[in-house]
């Protein structure tokens, strides 16, 4: 307010304050939704030894996620000397916070589905093995694309160029490697960050499309076909 947002009113401040407050309260509610039932089922002896390890890991990841969120917000509250830019959190910490949340969500979903749905026993053919490896590689690519989105958000890189498929009048913008050393552009140059996110997004959609067509050549259970088709639909909607 002192250096930049002179005209902010009290209701406007309350709006962003309640957004942050709601996010924190929701995060704590999620933590309780993990830890309290875990303690109950653990005490009742309902958890097998392998599941106990997984539950401990998930509860630990929930706590780590909260600490990482605090560490991220802290970076936005630090006074930067001679800086009158918009106060913002570190894009590195934002990416770490998002990445941790995605891992927590994926591990939770995987654990829940493993308990609810019996695993299909399929013959381990070369094609099936390749499909599984390709699916894991595609998942890693989607995860990397999401993390690159955190860098876009942290640097407001989406505001630099808003035309597609070209960036302005060029396919490759002039200021793509403006920072020195070169590696710094990947994480701190808004133009490069947006460019990388576009390339990763296109690569993810392409990989998911290829995964879908490859899966059509293999006799798969109905549930697996539904999953692959849903993945394709969500990728194109995204």
């Amino acid at each position: 307010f002192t250096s930049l947002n002179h005209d902010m009113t009290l209701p406007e401040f309350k709006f962003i304050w309640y957004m942050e407050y709601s996010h924190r309260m929701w995060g704590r509610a999620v933590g309780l939704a993990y830890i309290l039932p875990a303690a109950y089922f653990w005490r009742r002896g309902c958890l097998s030894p392998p599941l106990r390890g997984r539950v401990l890991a998930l509860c630990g990841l929930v706590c780590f996620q909260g600490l990482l969120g605090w560490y991220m917000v802290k970076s936005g509250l630090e006074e930067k000397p001679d800086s009158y830019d918009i106060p913002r959190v570190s894009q590195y910490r934002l990416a770490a916070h998002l990445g941790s949340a995605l891992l927590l969500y994926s591990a939770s979903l995987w654990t829940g589905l493993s308990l609810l749905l019996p695993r299909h026993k399929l013959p381990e053919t070369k094609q099936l093995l390749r499909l599984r490896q390709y699916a894991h590689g595609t998942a890693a690519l989607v995860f990397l694309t999401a993390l690159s989105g955190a860098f876009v958000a942290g640097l407001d890189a989406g505001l630099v160029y808003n035309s597609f498929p070209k960036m302005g009048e060029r396919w490759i913008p002039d200021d793509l490697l403006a920072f020195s050393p070169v590696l710094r552009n990947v994480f701190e140059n808004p133009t490069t960050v947006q460019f990388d996110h576009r390339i990763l997004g296109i690569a993810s959609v392409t990989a998911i499309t290829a995964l879908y067509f490859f899966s059509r050549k293999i006799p798969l259970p109905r549930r697996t076909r539904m999953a692959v088709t849903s993945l394709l639909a969500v990728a194109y909607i995204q």
Side-chain angles (χ1 to χ4, degrees), residues 105-146:
Y105 180 79
S106 301
S108 302
L109 186 63
W110 187 279
T111 301
L113 291 177
S114 299
L115 294 171
L116 292 170
L117 302 174
R119 185 169 183 172
H120 287 296
K121 293 181 180 178
L122 302 174
E124 290 288 335
T125 62
K126 283 187 177 180
Q127 275 191 319
L128 188 64
L129 187 62
R130 281 180 59 200
L131 179 67
R132 185 179 292 127
Q133 291 172 340
Y134 194 76
H136 290 164
T138 303
L141 182 59
V142 170
F143 180 74
L144 187 62
T145 304

Side-chain angles (χ1 to χ4, degrees), residues 109-203:
L109 186 63
W110 187 279
T111 301
L113 291 177
S114 299
L115 294 171
L116 292 170
L117 302 174
R119 185 169 183 172
H120 287 296
K121 293 181 180 178
L122 302 174
E124 290 288 335
T125 62
K126 283 187 177 180
Q127 275 191 319
L128 188 64
L129 187 62
R130 281 180 59 200
L131 179 67
R132 185 179 292 127
Q133 291 172 340
Y134 194 76
H136 290 164
T138 303
L141 182 59
V142 170
F143 180 74
L144 187 62
T145 304
L147 285 191
S148 75
F151 281 89
V152 172
L155 292 170
D156 279 342
L159 303 177
V160 181
Y161 292 97
N162 49 28
S163 57
F164 186 85
K166 289 185 177 181
M167 299 179 75
E169 298 299 319
R170 295 178 173 273
W171 290 101
I172 300 176
D174 293 332
D175 53 341
L176 193 67
L177 300 175
F179 290 13
S180 183
V182 174
L183 187 61
R184 190 176 153 219
N185 289 280
V186 178
F187 304 106
E188 298 181 13
N189 184 340
T191 298
T192 314
V193 166
Q194 190 194 126
F195 181 81
D196 291 345
H197 187 59
R198 289 178 179 219
I199 298 300
L200 286 167
I202 293 167

Side-chain angles (χ1 to χ4, degrees), residues 86 88-92 94-95 148-157 193:
I86 297 170
R88 65 178 74 251
V89 298
S90 162
Q91 69 270 28
Y92 297 101
L94 177 61
S148 75
F151 281 89
V152 172
L155 292 170
D156 279 342
V193 166

Side-chain angles (χ1 to χ4, degrees), residues 1 4 19 23 28 36 51 59 84 91 100 132 139 153 189 203 218 222:
F1 181 84
L4 191 69
M19 282 182 66
H23 182 67
R28 289 166 186 169
L36 293 181
L51 192 55
C59 289
Y84 295 96
Q91 69 270 28
S100 175
R132 185 179 292 127
N189 184 340
I218 306 172
R222 180 173 175 271

Side-chain angles (χ1 to χ4, degrees), residues 4-45:
L4 191 69
N5 298 314
H6 311 291
D7 57 345
M8 178 177 274
T9 63
L10 186 58
E12 287 173 336
F13 172 75
K14 284 182 176 181
F15 176 73
I16 62 171
W17 190 91
Y18 277 115
M19 282 182 66
E20 171 68 13
Y21 181 76
S22 301
H23 182 67
R24 293 186 185 203
M25 291 301 106
W26 185 257
R28 289 166 186 169
V30 169
L32 291 175
Y34 266 87
I35 294 167
L36 293 181
Y40 173 79
F41 289 121
W42 191 299
R43 187 175 179 82
R44 293 291 299 271

